[in-house]
Amino acid sequence: MLSVALPKGRLGDQVFSMLEQAGYGGANPVKGSRRLVVEDKAAGIRYFLVKPSDVAIYVLHGAADVGVVGKDILLETTPDIYELLDLNIGVCRMAVAGLPNATFCRQALRVATKYPNIAKSYFDAQSREIQLIALNGSIELAPLVGLSDVIVDIVETGSTLKANHLKVLEEIMPISARLISNIASYKFKAQAIQAMQDALAREANKKGEGTK
Ligand code: PRP
């Protein structure tokens, strides 16, 4: 049995449709279902549906052999896993955003984020002094209520920024979903993992062609 950790939510929907197109459609979970494990017995695969930020934890500890996770999480947490493939889905960007025309008078820029390590590396590289404010969600609220000067967050459609009258001030890096593997599993379940990697690579290439 191959165990696969998949993210719930927005990215999860895209992952399931990609798996289906890649020939792994035997266990598509029923929409709205609260089940956390779905099995495709014929293919010998068991899927775990987890919070996107927890996928790499399941893979790191070997509870899942492989998983799909955003590059943002990998950069933030640097887990000791193999990154096998850029899936070309969940495409977005990491950016600094804030109110247009804002002026910052403090010596240390106050930065609210779910990604303290990414934010720190980015501003450190520019020798800019910051005060980190670590939040867990609804990051866009912080500059609106004076909790921070700017945010570091992912921007996908840009609609959350727009709805809150914020704009991208600086681009940090492009982000997309990655197929990852547990290090031991990659050795001991090589055939099953390689087959899934190859099938997904074909689909990822099609997506890549589509965005060129
Ligand atoms: C993410 C991110 C932004 C939003 C960006 O939040 O933190 O808030 O999506 O997407 P958009 O550019 O398409 O609007 P998420 O939906 O994960 O919720 P959260 O605020 O609870 O982190």
Side-chain angles (χ1 to χ4, degrees), residues 1-2 24 65-66 82 84 179 181-199:
M1 260 273 167
L2 192 71
Y24 290 88
D65 300 304
V66 293
Y82 289 144
L84 302 180
L179 179 68
S181 170
N182 172 270
I183 290 174
S185 300
Y186 194 70
K187 190 169 167 195
F188 295 112
K189 299 189 182 181
Q191 209 179 339
I193 294 175
Q194 192 66 56
M196 180 175 271
Q197 182 179 347
D198 291 347

Side-chain angles (χ1 to χ4, degrees), residues 10 92 114-115 136-140 151 153-162:
R10 193 157 36 164
C92 54
K114 278 187 285 196
Y115 303 96
N136 297 301
S138 301
I139 313 300
E140 291 82 358
I151 62 172
D153 202 8
I154 51 170
V155 181
E156 190 171 354
T157 61
S159 53
T160 311
L161 289 184
K162 197 168 170 210

Side-chain angles (χ1 to χ4, degrees), residues 138-149:
S138 301
I139 313 300
E140 291 82 358
L141 182 61
L144 299 182
V145 299
L147 177 62
S148 73
D149 298 312

